[in-house]
């Protein structure tokens, strides 16, 4: 996620955050379905080719998600826990 | 250690009053105030007071072991019990403030060690020990006792039922953590999360994790996190410590907060050997904070493998589609070829057979025809005019017209007579006569 205006960054961050987790699970499930279809004899060759393309796109999408991910931590503060503040994550992986 | 100076006739040496319940406040009346001669006569209060002092000064605070009997707790919170061994017993009092510090109150028959001072309750003249500390023979015994009591109670309610344990989400996006914001446990959790699943968002609700009131704070933090954090699971965690340090996680309030939680809870308190009530009620028990994070966060390496695997299966799947079609075509072609090849000799035989049959049939027909022809020939010959002529008959002809009857002949007309080998000119010389 590139830094841009704060509003845009937040929206982009939210969208990519939603796409991130959802993307992985959804893509994996879809891949499973595609692979099963390709192993069966119930589809036409044209369809098999199209499914293959879609599957490859999912794999690539997942790899992008993994490559760009960055752990985000926030803390609920205030007596009711209705405010949040970001917590810095240690950069050293010791 | 003061000397055992039982000087009943001492006067004017009043020690300052100590703060102990049941002690009389009045000034002692010394025997010398009395006027009558004879043996010194004390008042009851005086005697009791003196004995109390002897007791309190004569023996220091000490540890005593024995068996608990007749343990009661008054509404005031003060506890009264008898400590006994085989031959003797000692009346004990444990005041409310000290009693509240204990993780659990002992039960009838338990072997305990108590620490306190001996005294006399002046108003009643009863000898007793004022207990300030109480332990089971096992130093952690009272903690374990309290743990067992809570565990039994919650287990009976079904809070620890295996069937209540929920599965963790496979690909969570937001995970919650209840722990100290400054502790090592949080650092461990974040380190593991970052390594395994950096796309996660972690939501922290800080809480004290030991000390007085920690249990309530932890319970409250769990409920707040669930209400406000929009997370898919909660990790409740702290690092290692003594049983007393970890005690907050054994409190009923924490167990209920976990049991009420609508999303899965992972408990990772202390080290491997530490088991708390929170661990038993949670959906997943982890041995350490790191282990808790590992249970919560999917491993990106494993995910990479999953996707790499999927990529391979896509390729083999597509190749399989093509291969299977080609194979089906080849099989069909081969079957056609084989079937065609097999049919040739059959067809050839059939053709030859037909040919033979045609030939045979033809020959027979020809033979039959010849015979028939010969027959007909003979018949024809027999009926042939030539054979008739050959037999001696003649045919009169007039210009090609056959003269058949008498009337056909005119006197003196010419006609020809056809005989077998030619014609003869003739003339009618007379009239014909009927046969």
């Amino acid at each position: 996620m590139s830094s841009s205006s704060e509003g845009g960054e937040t929206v982009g961050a939210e969208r990519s955050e939603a796409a991130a987790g959802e993307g992985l699970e959804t893509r994996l499930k879809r891949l499973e379905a595609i692979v099963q279809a390709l192993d069966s004899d119930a589809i036409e060759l044209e369809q098999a080719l199209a499914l293959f393309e879609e599957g490859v796109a999912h794999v690539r999408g997942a790899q992008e998600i993994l490559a760009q991910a960055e752990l985000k931590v926030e803390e609920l503060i205030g007596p009711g826990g209705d405010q949040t503040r970001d917590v810095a994550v240690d950069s050293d992986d010791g | 250690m003061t000397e055992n100076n039982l000087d009943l006739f001492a006067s004017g040496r009043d020690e300052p009053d100590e703060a102990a319940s049941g002690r009389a406040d009045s000034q002692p009346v010394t025997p010398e105030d009395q006027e009558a001669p004879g043996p010194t006569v004390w008042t009851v209060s005086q005697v009791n007071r003196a004995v109390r002092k002897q007791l309190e000064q004569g023996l220091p605070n000490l540890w005593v072991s024995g068996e608990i009997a007749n343990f009661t707790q008054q509404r005031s919170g003060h506890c009264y019990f008898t400590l006994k061994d085989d031959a003797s017993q000692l009346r004990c009092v444990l005041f409310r403030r000290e009693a509240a510090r204990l993780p659990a109150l002992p039960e009838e028959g338990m072997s305990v060690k108590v620490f306190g001072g001996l005294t006399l309750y002046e108003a009643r003249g009863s000898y007793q020990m004022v207990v300030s500390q109480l332990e089971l023979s096992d130093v952690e015994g009272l903690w374990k006792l309290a743990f067992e009591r809570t565990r039994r109670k919650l287990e009976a309610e079904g809070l620890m039922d295996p069937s209540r344990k929920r599965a963790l989400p496979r690909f969570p996006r937001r995970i919650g953590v209840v722990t100290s914001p400054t502790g090592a446990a949080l650092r461990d959790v974040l380190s593991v999360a970052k390594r395994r699943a950096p796309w996660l968002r972690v939501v922290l609700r800080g809480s004290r994790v030991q000390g007085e009131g920690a249990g309530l704070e932890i319970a409250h933090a769990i409920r707040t996190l669930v209400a406000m954090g929009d997370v898919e699971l909660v990790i409740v965690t702290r690092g290692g410590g003594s049983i007393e340090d970890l005690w907050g996680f054994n409190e009923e309030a924490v167990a209920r907060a976990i049991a009420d939680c609508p999303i899965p809870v992972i408990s990772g308190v202390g080290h491997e050997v530490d088991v708390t009530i929170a661990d038993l009620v949670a959906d997943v028990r982890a041995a350490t904070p790191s282990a808790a994070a590992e249970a919560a966060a999917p491993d990106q390496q494993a995910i990479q493998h999953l996707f790499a695997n999927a990529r391979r299966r896509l390729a083999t799947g597509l190749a399989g589609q093509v291969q299977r079609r080609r194979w089906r075509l080849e099989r069909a072609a081969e079957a056609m070829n084989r079937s065609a090849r097999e049919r040739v000799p059959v067809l050839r035989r059939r053709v030859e057979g037909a040919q033979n049959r045609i030939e045979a049939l033809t020959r027979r027909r020809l033979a039959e025809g010849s015979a028939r022809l010969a027959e007909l020939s003979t018949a024809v010959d027999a009926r042939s005019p030539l054979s008739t002529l050959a037999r001696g008959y003649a045919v009169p002809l007039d210009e090609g017209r056959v003269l058949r009857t008498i009337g056909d002949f005119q006197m003196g007309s010419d006609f020809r007579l056809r005989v077998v080998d030619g014609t003869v000119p003739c003339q009618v010389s007379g009239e014909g006569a009927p046969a």
Side-chain angles (χ1 to χ4, degrees):
Chain A
M1 285 164 286
S2 59
S3 48
S4 54
S5 75
E6 214 174 318
E9 189 178 74
T10 312
V11 169
E14 280 171 11
R15 210 183 301 126
S16 74
E17 169 197 302
E22 200 163 296
L24 282 179
E25 182 156 30
T26 314
R27 287 174 197 277
L28 205 58
K29 284 193 180 141
R30 184 72 190 124
L31 272 170
E32 192 58 38
I34 289 174
V35 163
Q36 282 198 18
L38 286 178
D39 283 343
S40 80
D41 286 331
I43 57 174
E44 299 293 328
L45 193 57
E46 293 266 338
Q47 206 181 347
L49 288 166
L51 286 175
F52 176 83
E53 296 275 1
E54 186 193 335
V56 169
H58 284 315
V59 171
R60 226 178 281 129
Q63 282 167 344
E64 257 179 55
I65 291 170
L66 295 179
Q68 288 181 13
E70 220 179 273
L71 189 72
K72 290 266 181 302
V73 183
E74 69 189 32
E75 182 179 1
L76 295 183
I77 52 178
D82 48 358
Q83 298 161 60
T84 67
R85 71 158 168 236
D86 286 338
V87 174
V89 183
D90 291 341
S91 46
D92 53 309
D93 288 7
Chain B
M1 181 75 125
T2 59
E3 44 178 347
N4 199 355
N5 188 7
L6 194 64
D7 185 354
L8 296 176
F9 303 100
S11 67
R13 283 198 292 123
D14 298 321
E15 281 87 13
D17 292 342
E18 291 164 0
S21 77
R23 250 188 8 101
D25 252 315
S26 54
Q27 289 290 324
V29 175
T30 66
E32 277 143 21
D33 292 343
Q34 294 182 298
E35 297 184 8
T40 311
V41 178
W42 291 56
T43 67
V44 173
S45 300
Q46 286 171 325
V47 168
N48 279 2
R49 181 133 199 274
V51 169
R52 179 176 70 79
K53 286 189 177 170
Q54 283 297 321
L55 273 176
E56 287 174 1
Q57 290 158 18
L59 288 170
N61 284 5
L62 37 73
W63 283 96
V64 181
S65 75
E67 193 182 292
I68 297 238
N70 307 320
F71 188 100
T72 60
Q73 183 176 35
Q74 309 293 336
R75 263 211 314 218
S76 57
H78 303 318
C79 300
Y80 299 89
F81 59 96
T82 299
L83 200 62
K84 29 194 272 207
D85 64 16
D86 299 335
S88 313
Q89 58 187 36
L90 171 62
R91 199 71 198 129
C92 297
V93 58
L94 176 68
F95 293 125
R96 183 183 53 77
R97 198 175 51 196
E98 283 71 37
R101 279 208 296 263
L102 297 182
L105 293 176
E107 288 167 356
E108 188 79 10
M110 281 189 169
S111 290
V112 300
K113 271 187 343 222
V114 298
F115 181 79
L118 295 160
T119 186
L120 186 83
Y121 180 27
E122 289 181 41
R124 298 239 194 88
S126 49
Y127 158 61
Q128 67 187 14
M129 177 179 220
V130 176
V131 173
S132 58
Q133 293 175 58
L134 184 147
E135 284 175 11
L136 302 191
S137 347
D138 171 7
V139 159
E140 290 184 344
L142 286 176
W143 297 105
K144 292 178 184 171
L145 182 62
F147 178 89
E148 271 309 304
R149 282 187 186 147
T150 308
R151 191 185 64 75
R152 260 184 262 127
K153 175 179 178 185
L154 297 177
E155 197 171 38
E157 287 182 38
L159 261 54
M160 300 177 182
D161 249 18
S163 61
R164 284 188 90 251
K165 312 283 182 207
R166 291 163 290 195
L168 300 177
R170 205 174 157 210
F171 290 99
R173 280 161 282 157
R174 294 170 62 87
I175 64 176
V177 181
V178 170
T179 190
S180 162
T182 54
L186 179 63
R187 284 198 292 278
D188 288 347
V189 167
L190 294 182
S191 161
V192 169
K194 183 175 173 181
R195 187 188 77 230
R196 283 170 70 94
W199 60 87
L200 283 177
R201 184 166 280 255
V202 177
V203 182
L204 167 72
R205 177 65 173 174
S207 167
R208 279 184 311 132
V209 290
Q210 68 183 60
E212 187 124 353
L216 285 177
E217 208 174 309
I218 294 165
H220 191 63
I222 293 173
R223 294 187 190 273
T224 303
L225 187 55
V226 169
M228 309 296 296
D230 187 27
V231 293
E232 294 160 69
L233 63 87
V234 176
I235 297 176
V236 177
T237 184
R238 68 150 280 157
S242 69
I243 193 169
E244 201 171 337
D245 292 337
L246 271 44
W247 193 254
F249 295 86
N250 284 327
E251 293 199 27
E252 202 175 312
V254 171
R256 299 218 180 268
I258 292 176
D260 289 345
C261 199
I263 51 180
V265 175
I266 302 172
S267 173
V269 177
H271 296 310
E272 171 77 50
V273 295
D274 301 314
V275 180
T276 60
I277 297 288
D279 291 325
L280 296 174
V281 178
D283 297 280
V284 173
R285 187 214 157 194
T288 62
S290 295
E294 278 167 19
D299 181 14
Q300 62 174 328
Q301 283 209 348
I303 291 174
Q304 292 277 17
H305 284 144
L306 277 178
F307 280 97
N309 233 18
R311 180 71 182 78
R312 272 194 296 275
R313 288 176 68 195
L314 284 175
T316 57
L318 187 64
Q321 289 280 332
V322 170
Q323 184 56 34
R324 282 197 295 282
R325 281 178 170 78
R326 179 180 299 142
W327 188 53
R328 279 204 291 271
L329 274 173
E330 283 175 5
R331 268 202 316 175
E334 199 190 326
M336 255 174 27
N337 281 346
R338 185 171 53 239
S339 152
R341 280 197 303 276
E342 278 168 9
R343 280 167 68 78
V344 165
V346 170
L347 288 172
R348 184 179 298 132
R349 275 197 298 279
R350 270 210 242 148
V351 165
E352 284 173 358
Q355 270 177 344
N356 291 341
R357 279 202 301 282
I358 289 172
E359 278 174 19
L361 207 60
T362 309
R363 277 199 299 276
R364 195 167 69 221
R365 286 272 174 84
L366 279 175
E368 281 174 8
S370 296
R372 187 93 176 103
L373 198 60
E375 256 178 47
L376 285 174
S377 225
T378 312
V380 163
D381 269 354
R383 285 150 183 74
S384 157
L386 283 177
S387 55
T388 309
L389 290 176
R391 283 204 300 273
Y393 292 87
V395 181
L397 293 168
D398 174 25
E399 308 278 314
R401 184 170 65 98
V402 171
L403 305 169
R404 229 175 20 92
T405 63
I406 298 172
D408 291 335
F409 293 88
Q410 308 295 327
M411 178 87 95
S413 62
D414 297 315
F415 67 92
R416 299 189 72 85
L417 196 67
R418 175 81 160 85
V419 293
V420 66
D421 56 355
T423 61
V424 173
C426 297
Q427 199 175 51
V428 181
S429 61
E431 290 205 10

